[in-house]
Amino acid sequence: GQEIGVGNPYVSGTLPTGERFQGVMPPVTAQPAFTIRKHAPLIYSLDDFVKSEVLSQKGAEVIREALADKQNIIIAGATSSGKTTLLNGCLAEPCFARDRVVILEDVRELQCSAPDCVPMLTTLTNPPVTLADLVRMTLRLFPGRIVIGEVRGGECLALLRAWNTGHAGLSTLHANSAQDVLYRIEELVGEVSAVVPRRTISSAIGLIVYIACGPFNEIGRRVTTIVRPSLDRAANEYLFEEIDL
């Protein structure tokens, strides 16, 4: 239902077969161009990541323990680093079968086999339904875990508040390093709030997993850093406990 033309020279969406589509045309580009992002045909478990040397055995154990303890996890990395694939691997863990899992996305990419799973999508209706709107709706659905495919705007503050009220969850975020994640979150929160609540940010996130691209293995990706963030309240500065992988 979206129209593309000189006045609206781009379009995002999902193809009928499920692939993610992004197209642009003049005057944004010299000629029309588009990208189709195909989903992985199989869900890779954390054990599969270990076998392919994307994740160390110690890293898998740390992530599993955090998931079982219902700690909130941010998976960070660059574009196409494998954040969503790793998030799908986390959703395949048996501990999710015991909870109502609410998944919020702009485009459907996440898969969860939990018996009680509620996937929700933003819409471009008038008025539009945003990720922030979905987070607010989710709190009325008695969620056990709240999962956002990717935080990229002001919905980050609503998610942090939800996570801080006892609702465990996961999300992905674009960032240059594990330590950069909290400062990136500050930028996103700053879009909707004049006050950046460092205490709220640090207490909401239990684990940060950073996945990088490079000549590491056949897949070219590796989880290079896992940290537990905290806050030095006296100095109001973030602290990062890096896990030895």
Side-chain angles (χ1 to χ4, degrees):
Q2 298 181 55
E3 295 184 1
I4 185 169
V6 175
N8 184 38
Y10 63 91
V11 62
S12 301
T14 305
L15 299 180
T17 47
E19 294 86 358
R20 190 170 177 176
F21 180 90
Q22 177 68 52
V24 292
M25 64 174 290
V28 171
T29 56
Q31 62 276 329
F34 66 88
T35 299
I36 296 175
R37 296 185 62 179
K38 298 176 67 176
H39 299 314
L42 299 173
I43 296 298
Y44 292 92
S45 67
L46 294 184
D47 288 333
D48 292 328
F49 280 105
V50 173
K51 291 176 183 177
S52 60
E53 299 182 347
V54 174
L55 180 64
S56 69
Q57 184 63 49
K58 175 65 178 297
E61 292 171 359
V62 170
I63 292 173
R64 281 198 173 104
E65 182 179 346
L67 292 172
D69 290 344
K70 289 193 172 183
Q71 297 179 32
N72 302 316
I73 301 176
I74 295 287
I75 298 174
T79 302
S80 299
S81 59
K83 300 184 298 296
T84 301
T85 305
L86 181 56
L87 179 50
N88 270 324
C90 293
L91 292 175
E93 285 295 299
C95 61
F96 282 85
R98 300 189 294 268
D99 299 305
R100 162 170 276 199
V101 182
V102 182
I103 299 177
L104 315 179
E105 299 179 90
D106 288 322
V107 178
R108 196 176 305 285
E109 292 184 297
L110 298 178
Q111 302 178 52
C112 182
S113 59
D116 192 356
C117 180
V118 183
M120 302 174 71
L121 292 174
T122 60
T123 71
L124 296 176
T125 53
N126 188 19
V129 178
T130 66
L131 278 174
D133 294 329
L134 292 182
V135 172
R136 287 189 287 270
M137 294 179 201
T138 297
L139 296 178
R140 304 185 187 102
L141 295 176
F142 300 101
R145 299 182 191 253
I146 302 173
V147 181
I148 290 189
E150 179 186 347
V151 287
R152 61 170 70 91
E155 73 278 353
C156 188
L157 179 58
L159 179 63
L160 291 171
R161 287 172 174 168
W163 280 359
N164 265 329
T165 56
H167 299 87
L170 300 93
S171 185
T172 71
L173 180 77
H174 283 88
N176 295 321
S177 68
Q179 290 77 10
D180 186 52
V181 166
L182 299 189
Y183 300 107
R184 175 66 180 140
I185 288 176
E186 286 190 356
E187 293 176 1
L188 299 179
V189 170
E191 294 180 9
V192 293
S193 174
V195 178
V196 177
R198 285 197 163 185
R199 183 177 299 183
T200 299
I201 293 172
S202 62
S203 61
I205 300 169
L207 204 68
I208 298 172
V209 179
Y210 188 80
I211 183 168
C213 297
F216 302 119
N217 43 49
E218 292 183 2
I219 299 177
R221 298 178 177 92
R222 177 176 292 172
V223 173
T224 58
T225 314
I226 299 180
V227 300
R228 293 189 179 98
S230 59
L231 183 71
D232 181 341
R233 297 192 177 185
N236 197 33
E237 293 292 338
Y238 295 122
L239 302 175
F240 299 94
E241 177 193 349
E242 186 168 341
I243 309 298
D244 185 7
L245 301 179

